[in-house]
Amino acid sequence: MFFFPICYNCSIDDEERLQDHMNISSAEHSKNMATYLKDGVSIAARINNKGPLLLDENGKLQSKILKAYEEYGFYIFENVINENELEELRVDAQNMIERAPATPGAKLDKEGRPALGRDFAREPYTFIKPLSDPWGGTELLNGRHPSKMSEPSPEKGAPDHVVHLMYGMCEAMPAALRVYGHPKLLAVAESINGENFVPYNDAIFVKQPGLGGSVSWHQDGVTHWDSPNWDEGIHGFNFQVQLYETTPANSLWIMPGSHKHGRADIKKLIAENNGSDQLPGAMPLVCTPGSVTLVNRQMLHGSFANTSPDIRISITFGFHRRSSVLGQKAALGMRGSNAVYDEKRIFERSAVIQVAIDARRKHLKGGPAFEYKPFHGLEDEYRFSEDTFNRVIKDYNTKDLAI
């Protein structure tokens, strides 16, 4: 179902509306969002697409949950990450934030130490101005963010720049590498994308209280919209592991059911809403700590500037069908725009999954481990060790499979 119930602020002139949204204080932004947040929560309660991550007797996602995901394009798995693992993830994420360059491009962090990732092949940090929208209305990321979100002014004393995204989690955060090998999450990936599923990429969204930026309305996929084989799952999905409680004010917002309807005309949707980014029919993914959201990459989604007092840190990683990736050209800003995803690249990037599975097994000293079918019989070659870290994990995200 695709929700488009009412139009917010429809009596306000488009240009005036846009200017109002670009010249407001944090407090005004929070006040202006109040009714919209309340309505979004009501939509979420009506759909109620959440619950524990349950597998059937064959180790596949229960059919009831799979059907609910296929209908609405999302599901919230509750209480997936236990308290011990959650704390490990929080510690590693906070360390990565604290080890960021003191300013964009600096070699040292705020404590005068060498900043993390100066030897990484890909820069692990994206900085933005507080409460800004870095991609909206630009041609960045294949132009998939055509409209600008409102950008309220931060409070006095705000820093010039804040960390918005962090990359390379499997290399920079031991706990994140281990969660990448979580058996239940990988079972979900297999249930949706088949036994030979492949990875997409990963990123950590950091929405600091009163400072975190927005992500304008978009759909993730860019490659297959005009494919004769297009269907609602062809661009894969993303997980988000929530390290803290997410609220209507700081969470990801989605348009439930929009993954079924092809490429959305986002500019038209904004224009028909009189220039407001408060698109009717959307809902927030409100979660408890340790929950994991599952969102189809064709879902229309975005997030607003975080003028709330609550932090959000979302560890995000996705998976594809192998058939969606093999033979496709690199997209979404991957280095080497002429690169083609051949068998070798897919195998090398997929090896991160197998190493992550073993890293998790070793850390937990046993317990259930996922059997990743493409590496059946190769497990001993991809045990977690200094050798496989250097051979497989080091600079792994230069081989991401973005489509």
Side-chain angles (χ1 to χ4, degrees), residues 366-387:
F370 182 78
E371 183 184 350
Y372 185 36
K373 302 301 191 299
F375 281 75
H376 178 72
L378 300 174
E379 293 89 349
D380 287 343
E381 297 178 41
Y382 291 90
R383 301 294 182 193
F384 178 64
S385 65
E386 183 177 355
D387 170 65

Side-chain angles (χ1 to χ4, degrees), residues 54-72:
L54 300 175
L55 306 178
D56 63 21
E57 63 275 10
N58 297 314
K60 298 292 193 295
L61 186 63
Q62 282 192 356
S63 60
K64 176 179 65 175
I65 299 174
L66 185 58
K67 288 177 182 177
Y69 164 70
E70 290 171 345
E71 179 177 359
Y72 292 107

Side-chain angles (χ1 to χ4, degrees), residues 262-336:
R263 184 185 292 169
D265 188 340
I266 298 171
K267 280 190 173 182
K268 182 180 179 182
L269 294 176
I270 297 290
E272 290 176 346
N273 200 39
N274 281 336
S276 171
D277 55 16
Q278 296 180 20
L279 289 180
M283 56 163 277
L285 296 181
V286 176
C287 302
T288 56
S291 293
V292 179
T293 59
L294 168 68
V295 177
N296 186 296
R297 292 187 65 242
Q298 291 178 173
M299 178 81 78
L300 181 59
H301 63 287
S303 64
F304 299 92
N306 186 19
T307 52
S308 83
D310 304 306
I311 192 170
R312 172 161 76 92
I313 299 181
S314 301
I315 295 180
T316 308
F317 51 101
F319 298 96
H320 295 302
R321 302 169 184 164
R322 191 175 189 277
S323 60
S324 294
V325 170
L326 182 62
Q328 299 301 323
K329 290 184 178 180
L332 296 173
M334 280 303 301
R335 181 180 295 177

Side-chain angles (χ1 to χ4, degrees), residues 351-366:
V352 177
I353 296 173
Q354 188 60 47
V355 174
I357 290 168
D358 195 59
R360 182 179 186 86
R361 181 189 63 82
K362 286 183 175 177
H363 181 73
L364 296 178
K365 296 179 174 58

